[in-house]
Amino acid sequence: MTEQRRHPASWWAQFHEASDRFDSAFLTEGLGDLFNAKIASPLLRREAEIATDIVVRHLNKPNSEELAERATKAVDRLVETVKRLEERSGDAFQLGEAHAVCHLLEGRFADAASEAEEFLTTKQILRVFVGALRMERFDNDLAVRMLAAGHSPGAALASGSVVGRYSWWPSWLLKVVRDRAMEGRLDEQTVDALDRLAYAELSPAQARIARRLLAGEEALVEASATRLETLDERNAAQLLREGDLSAVALAARLIPL
């Protein structure tokens, strides 16, 4: 596996704090499947799978005393097995995957994720964490891409929410939003301006011009600003030259249908 930067547990802990609907059962099942598949020993893997299954069932039915008791016993048994193997084998037996499963089943999600970056890609783990947020109208793919690119969880989750909230925007405009998010240039002011642009009802040709103006093509910006000045829209022309997004729709509308 290509060497990757390992995030501290405190970084992973931000996800649990980001949503009051965080689905621990979803996370445990998803990460459990990934972790258990990496355990080399068939017997140890089977014990980890049994413990994972019981813990997930308990998390889905937290009021069940029977499942709570069974889950505790299964996790304790797995932890003891891993300790025993570690004492007997020392460094000769790789137990990183099993340790991560133990942390996961004990509810130490951040520790489990940090340790798992030794044997899984960060993106694999991120997809499960983002899914566990259970956020409505949310662009999971954008959030995962931003996180994998090094953006903070706060920025990635905020951008995912924006795109999810405005999913009705035309596809070309959503691409602009995603590109700006990946560049770290998406803020509320930008979103408000793009929202006004989404209502502009531009033709396909006008939309192409708007996209190029949003990309900052200097020659096109200057030509469009000059056209605005000839129509006595000097203020709009100046705003367009300064990169103000609110002037893009007006400039694009000047293109014949």
Side-chain angles (χ1 to χ4, degrees), residues 44-61:
L44 181 57
R45 186 191 317 125
R46 182 56 183 157
E47 186 171 341
E49 289 171 345
I50 292 171
T52 302
D53 178 66
I54 295 173
V55 170
V56 170
R57 289 167 63 188
H58 168 53
L59 290 172
N60 281 319
K61 294 183 177 180

Side-chain angles (χ1 to χ4, degrees), residues 30 211 225:
R211 184 165 58 247

Side-chain angles (χ1 to χ4, degrees), residues 210-221:
R211 184 165 58 247
R212 292 170 61 192
L213 289 171
L214 290 170
E217 288 190 23
E218 294 184 8
L220 181 61
V221 169

Side-chain angles (χ1 to χ4, degrees), residues 21 134-140 159-168:
R21 301 176 61 192
R134 294 301 194 197
M135 299 179 74
E136 296 180 352
R137 294 184 298 174
F138 185 79
D139 190 321
N140 283 23
S159 295
S161 294
V162 166
V163 176
R165 188 165 69 245
Y166 295 107
S167 59
W168 59 270

Side-chain angles (χ1 to χ4, degrees), residues 12 31 113 116-117 120-129:
W12 288 103
L31 291 185
E117 285 184 287
L120 291 172
T121 67
T122 300
K123 186 171 287 188
Q124 285 176 291
I125 306 169
L126 282 172
R127 289 197 177 281
V128 183
F129 265 84

